[in-house]
Amino acid sequence: MSLSTERAHTVAHVLIEALPYIRRFQGKTLVIKYGGNAMTDERLKASFARDIVLMKLVGINPVIVHGGGPQIGSLLNRLGKASEFVQGMRVTDAETMDVVEMVLGGLVNKEIVNLINRHGGPAVGLTGKDGDLIRARKLLIKRDAPELQEPEIIDLGHVGEVESIDPAIVHMLVQGNFIPVIAPIGMGADGFSYNINADLVAGKLAEVLKAEKLLLLTNTEGLLDAEGRLIPEIDVARVHALIKSGVIHGGMLPKVRCALEAVQSGVKTAHIIDGRVEHAVLLDLFTDSGVGTLIRNR
């Protein structure tokens, strides 16, 4: 069946618009944090997998880091174990860490790998423990309160932060034409496993890999100004101003700080994009307008 003239013109325009971006990113590494609605909605899951496969086919090297908080919570509920959070982070005892490893390193990771493979992409799943990829250390947080003489140190158990990253196994997979899919679990010097925020892992990995871009999929349009309007592009100085004024706050703060650290450490640009939009990754990469907010150093 042939295309109508109008449809043919539309297709041609899309391809022509994408061409300079394909040339620009060929051979480059892009780190993508995959989470939110894009991980739970069947339509969005399929569109994400197709986006990743197309990127690989045109010579771009995607590296995926994924979360899985809702899936962890769901299994804990089924096991009759309550979830406890402190400042948005899950308190993770040894028993909960076993569940985290099963869900992130097993169920979720292999589902993403299978999804990409079904759409024609050679994906390989791993955790930060494989190939000594992520060295972790225990994350301790401070709580200040007027009634406290000094800040309270809160131990969240097996919750960690990135101490170091050895990207050798990622380089090997990329050079072998595979798509790495990474669960954010690291190993500490104490021999324990640690669950690490996926945004943080994606940002640090982008720095170490000297990635061209860091893409963070979210459940929002991107960064919004004081009037609630989308900010298509922003530099580091203005981001700091919006944080100081309280315009950027709450759950968006960790993502923004992760993006800031990445671009200030050599990643060309970071993008906070709306994962609720079908084919959000391709729209952000290969169109002039994009879907979300681009953060650059200057």
Side-chain angles (χ1 to χ4, degrees), residues 132-205:
D132 206 23
L133 172 58
I134 302 173
R135 282 283 178 165
R137 58 174 171 255
K138 181 188 283 285
L139 176 65
L140 298 173
I141 61 175
K142 294 181 179 180
R143 185 177 73 89
D144 287 306
E147 67 274 11
L148 298 175
Q149 293 184 339
E150 57 184 36
E152 177 187 5
I153 305 299
I154 302 174
D155 185 345
L156 299 173
H158 292 261
V159 176
E161 57 185 340
V162 176
E163 182 172 72
S164 64
I165 289 180
D166 180 351
I169 191 169
V170 176
H171 286 312
M172 183 186 72
L173 290 172
V174 170
Q175 288 165 8
N177 204 38
F178 293 101
I179 301 168
V181 179
I182 301 165
I185 298 168
M187 178 65 76
D190 54 11
F192 292 116
S193 299
Y194 288 94
N195 183 21
I196 309 173
N197 178 276
D199 292 320
L200 178 60
V201 170
K204 294 296 184 185
L205 189 60

Side-chain angles (χ1 to χ4, degrees), residues 5 54 57 83 92-93 98 108 121 130 156 183 194 219-220 242 287:
T5 301
L54 180 56
L57 288 174
S83 294
T92 307
D93 59 16
D98 288 342
V108 175
D130 294 305
L156 299 173
Y194 288 94
N219 285 341
T220 62
L242 291 177
T287 67

Side-chain angles (χ1 to χ4, degrees), residues 43-65:
R43 175 180 54 88
L44 295 175
K45 285 162 64 174
S47 79
F48 175 80
R50 288 194 292 267
D51 288 359
I52 297 300
V53 171
L54 180 56
M55 287 169 63
K56 193 65 177 177
L57 288 174
V58 299
I60 300 168
N61 299 317
V63 176
I64 300 163
V65 178

Side-chain angles (χ1 to χ4, degrees), residues 78-249:
R78 284 160 53 194
L79 294 173
K81 188 170 179 63
S83 294
E84 181 185 351
F85 292 88
V86 175
Q87 296 184 19
M89 290 175 283
R90 187 188 305 276
V91 177
T92 307
D93 59 16
E95 186 179 45
T96 301
M97 190 65 216
D98 288 342
V99 173
V100 168
E101 291 210 65
M102 285 190 291
V103 173
L104 290 185
L107 179 66
V108 175
N109 187 270
K110 300 316 172 192
E111 181 185 15
I112 298 166
V113 167
N114 185 47
L115 190 65
I116 294 171
N117 288 342
R118 275 182 17 230
H119 285 86
V124 173
L126 61 157
T127 75
K129 295 167 70 173
D130 294 305
D132 206 23
L133 172 58
I134 302 173
R135 282 283 178 165
R137 58 174 171 255
K138 181 188 283 285
L139 176 65
L140 298 173
I141 61 175
K142 294 181 179 180
R143 185 177 73 89
D144 287 306
E147 67 274 11
L148 298 175
Q149 293 184 339
E150 57 184 36
E152 177 187 5
I153 305 299
I154 302 174
D155 185 345
L156 299 173
H158 292 261
V159 176
E161 57 185 340
V162 176
E163 182 172 72
S164 64
I165 289 180
D166 180 351
I169 191 169
V170 176
H171 286 312
M172 183 186 72
L173 290 172
V174 170
Q175 288 165 8
N177 204 38
F178 293 101
I179 301 168
V181 179
I182 301 165
I185 298 168
M187 178 65 76
D190 54 11
F192 292 116
S193 299
Y194 288 94
N195 183 21
I196 309 173
N197 178 276
D199 292 320
L200 178 60
V201 170
K204 294 296 184 185
L205 189 60
E207 293 174 27
V208 171
L209 293 175
K210 296 179 171 55
E212 185 75 10
K213 284 180 181 287
L214 167 66
L215 289 85
L216 304 170
L217 272 68
T218 70
N219 285 341
T220 62
E221 291 179 75
L223 293 185
L224 307 179
D225 64 17
E227 285 72 45
R229 297 172 301 203
L230 177 67
I231 304 170
E233 185 172 334
I234 193 169
D235 63 20
V236 168
R238 190 180 172 204
V239 172
H240 282 302
L242 291 177
I243 292 174
K244 187 175 181 180
S245 67
V247 172
I248 298 174
H249 63 280

